[in-house]
Amino acid sequence: MQSRKKRNWTIAATVAATIAAVVVAMNFATPEKKLQQTMPHRHAVSDPQFRREMGVMLGPGLLGGNHVVALENGDEIFPSMLEAIRGAEHTINFETYIYWSGEIGKTFADALAERSRAGVKVNVLLDWVGSIKIDDALMKEMKDANVKVELYRPLKWYNLGRLNNRTHRKILVVDGKIGFTGGVGIADQWDGEAQDPDHWRDLHFRVEGPVVWQFQAAFNDNWIKTTGEVLNGAEYFPSLTDVGDLDAHMFTASPAGGSASMHLMYMLAIAASSETIDLQAAYFVPDDLIVEALLAARQRGVQVRIILPGQHIDSESVRLASKASWGDLLEHGVEIYEYQPTMMHNKMLIVDHEMVSVGSTNFDGRSFRLNDEASMNVYDHAFASSMSKVFELDLAETTRYTYETWQQRSLKEKFLESIVRPIQSQL
């Protein structure tokens, strides 16, 4: 009898372990759609063919007539977002990864609740993992005001196989006319002017014009996945006229829809570069194809400059996995700079002073293959030049990391890199 019980327990334990292993494997699986090789340099970013391929082969078409305002750090970003929210007349759609309790979280909850009580339709989509630090009181305040608050992929049995696939998008759309995207989260460390290590450096963008339709469609994508509800009609998609002269489009990516499209977008941009690549990345863990593409750019004389977080970074494992890949890049003339004052959370790519890509996407495997991401591309020389000035000002706050420094890494650092490198796509 004892033998039979022991055998049954062994079978049950084996089944449980197998189920757990399958669930873990499902969470760490990447989509089937996968790039296998780098692309040759066929045309420049300024060539109409480049825009044609970016808009037709990859995703939403380019829309003209847009106006984009770059906002720097919390002191500019949060007041602009709150002004738009408080001025809403019909609808507010808001999707974000980080929403934590604190002063900023309370201020946003108050503004969203007030507009809902005033009759505005307010829909809020928070990532379950990213918003795990939000107080129940803030959730209750919004829900009591009839704000529709939904959590993206909460801990439920039917989500177990997708718990590792999070929404990292940062999208705010007000009345279907004003859009925001960038890197900022709703938390106190983004407040201020990046004046010390407790206040992060970041960029966000206020957008008006026809491209806001694509912001709204991007929000709808995950809202439908979460609720089954389609948000349409003139209050969400009003007629939009030209308010500027910028050509832009909003890219989205998710494992369910083939997240490799974001990876491919960056690969095409790097392959089209002729003069300069300026990249700011909060998390930079390039795969072999990205490294090959950057090295190919260097071989044709492109200056490649990358600004990354320095000593102030919120994930040491990401830093270790990142640094392990720097050797070939540094040896072949890629310039890597570490931002010194605080955590640098910017996500911006500028190519040949003609194209700027901004949004939620990091330069790592998690953003390229596991997360739901959203990034806006703007094609305009004047706008790119203005963002290059922002890049240069940040560059003045960095220390250059050389190939010699990389070669002199300690044995301990190299050992830790070897531990995290095999799981770099999950960091």
Side-chain angles (χ1 to χ4, degrees), residues 327-395:
D328 284 346
L329 296 173
L330 291 166
E331 186 177 15
H332 291 87
V334 171
E335 302 170 32
I336 295 179
Y337 300 87
E338 295 183 314
Y339 191 75
Q340 297 302 310
T342 185
M343 169 66 181
M344 196 279 302
H345 201 251
N346 296 3
K347 309 164 199 309
M348 179 168 66
L349 173 69
I350 310 169
V351 181
D352 289 352
H353 304 290
E354 294 287 344
M355 168 198 165
V356 181
S357 184
V358 295
S360 66
T361 310
N362 292 308
F363 240 74
D364 60 11
R366 171 160 288 281
S367 277
F368 289 151
R369 297 184 178 90
L370 292 173
N371 286 343
D372 289 10
E373 302 283 4
S375 288
M376 176 182 65
N377 288 358
V378 179
Y379 304 85
D380 182 81
H381 180 76
F383 181 75
S385 295
S386 70
M387 297 317 299
S388 291
K389 292 178 182 178
V390 172
F391 184 93
E392 295 292 344
L393 289 173
D394 282 340
L395 192 66

Side-chain angles (χ1 to χ4, degrees), residues 30-340:
T30 54
E32 291 182 6
K33 182 181 177 184
K34 185 177 177 182
L35 294 175
Q36 299 292 333
Q37 60 185 24
T38 56
M39 287 150 287
H41 175 71
R42 298 186 185 278
H43 39 254
V45 171
S46 58
D47 192 318
Q49 181 65 26
F50 174 72
R51 298 191 185 193
R52 188 176 303 122
E53 292 185 3
M54 292 290 268
V56 175
M57 184 168 69
L58 280 181
L62 274 70
L63 297 173
N66 303 291
H67 179 66
V68 180
V69 177
L71 305 167
E72 298 188 50
N73 303 320
D75 277 1
E76 288 186 3
I77 296 167
F78 292 138
S80 184
M81 293 175 72
L82 288 165
E83 179 185 27
I85 289 170
R86 289 166 179 155
E89 297 179 351
H90 306 292
T91 61
I92 298 171
N93 286 343
F94 186 31
E95 178 178 355
T96 192
Y97 178 68
I98 293 290
Y99 195 128
W100 294 345
S101 294
E103 230 177 277
I104 293 301
K106 173 62 173 168
T107 302
F108 270 81
D110 290 349
L112 293 165
E114 187 279 326
R115 281 293 81 197
S116 183
R117 287 192 296 268
V120 174
K121 296 177 181 177
V122 183
N123 306 297
V124 176
L125 183 60
L126 306 178
D127 186 78
W128 176 72
V129 171
S131 64
I132 206 160
K133 293 183 182 180
I134 189 172
D135 282 346
D136 291 341
L138 293 186
M139 296 286 281
K140 185 177 186 301
E141 176 187 355
M142 289 189 282
K143 290 181 177 181
D144 285 350
N146 291 322
V147 175
K148 289 186 178 180
V149 184
E150 299 287 345
L151 296 178
Y152 189 75
R153 294 201 176 122
L155 182 59
K156 304 288 185 182
W157 68 266
Y158 51 81
N159 277 333
L160 289 177
R162 302 297 296 277
L163 281 177
N164 200 31
N165 302 138
R166 312 312 316 170
T167 179
H168 193 244
R169 297 173 184 174
K170 286 94 175 174
I171 299 171
L172 171 64
V173 185
V174 175
D175 290 336
K177 298 178 180 179
I178 303 172
F180 289 85
T181 194
V184 77
I186 308 303
D188 288 349
Q189 65 256 49
W190 274 278
D191 199 11
E193 299 178 341
Q195 67 270 27
D196 56 50
D198 293 327
H199 297 85
W200 290 8
R201 167 73 175 130
D202 216 335
L203 295 171
H204 222 66
F205 298 82
R206 184 185 189 276
V207 184
E208 292 181 89
V211 76
V212 176
W213 287 326
Q214 295 177 353
F215 282 54
Q216 196 74 285
F219 178 86
N220 245 317
D221 177 41
N222 277 344
W223 188 258
I224 293 169
K225 290 179 191 174
T226 304
T227 69
E229 178 187 11
V230 178
L231 303 174
N232 63 341
E235 57 192 1
Y236 290 105
F237 291 93
S239 176
L240 297 177
T241 57
D242 292 356
V243 294
D245 55 5
L246 301 183
D247 292 339
H249 54 170
M250 169 65 88
F251 274 90
T252 59
S254 70
S259 62
S261 59
M262 195 69 78
H263 190 215
L264 178 57
M265 184 271 285
Y266 283 118
M267 292 286 289
L268 284 172
I270 294 170
S273 62
S274 301
E275 300 173 6
T276 59
I277 295 173
D278 286 335
L279 171 67
Q280 291 185 309
Y283 310 105
F284 178 75
V285 188
D287 59 21
D288 291 343
L289 286 180
I290 290 288
V291 171
E292 288 176 26
L294 291 172
L295 293 179
R298 283 294 304 132
Q299 288 175 358
R300 58 178 181 271
V302 176
Q303 181 187 41
V304 181
R305 300 185 298 177
I306 304 173
I307 298 179
L308 306 175
Q311 60 181 322
H312 303 294
I313 187 169
D314 66 333
S315 176
E316 189 60 30
S317 60
V318 169
R319 178 175 173 79
L320 288 166
S322 175
K323 192 170 288 187
S325 67
W326 294 2
D328 284 346
L329 296 173
L330 291 166
E331 186 177 15
H332 291 87
V334 171
E335 302 170 32
I336 295 179
Y337 300 87
E338 295 183 314
Y339 191 75
Q340 297 302 310

Side-chain angles (χ1 to χ4, degrees), residues 1-15:
M1 187 69 177
Q2 282 291 100
S3 178
R4 181 180 295 176
K5 283 185 177 181
K6 184 177 180 181
R7 186 167 60 251
N8 289 341
W9 275 110
T10 301
I11 292 172
T14 302
V15 170

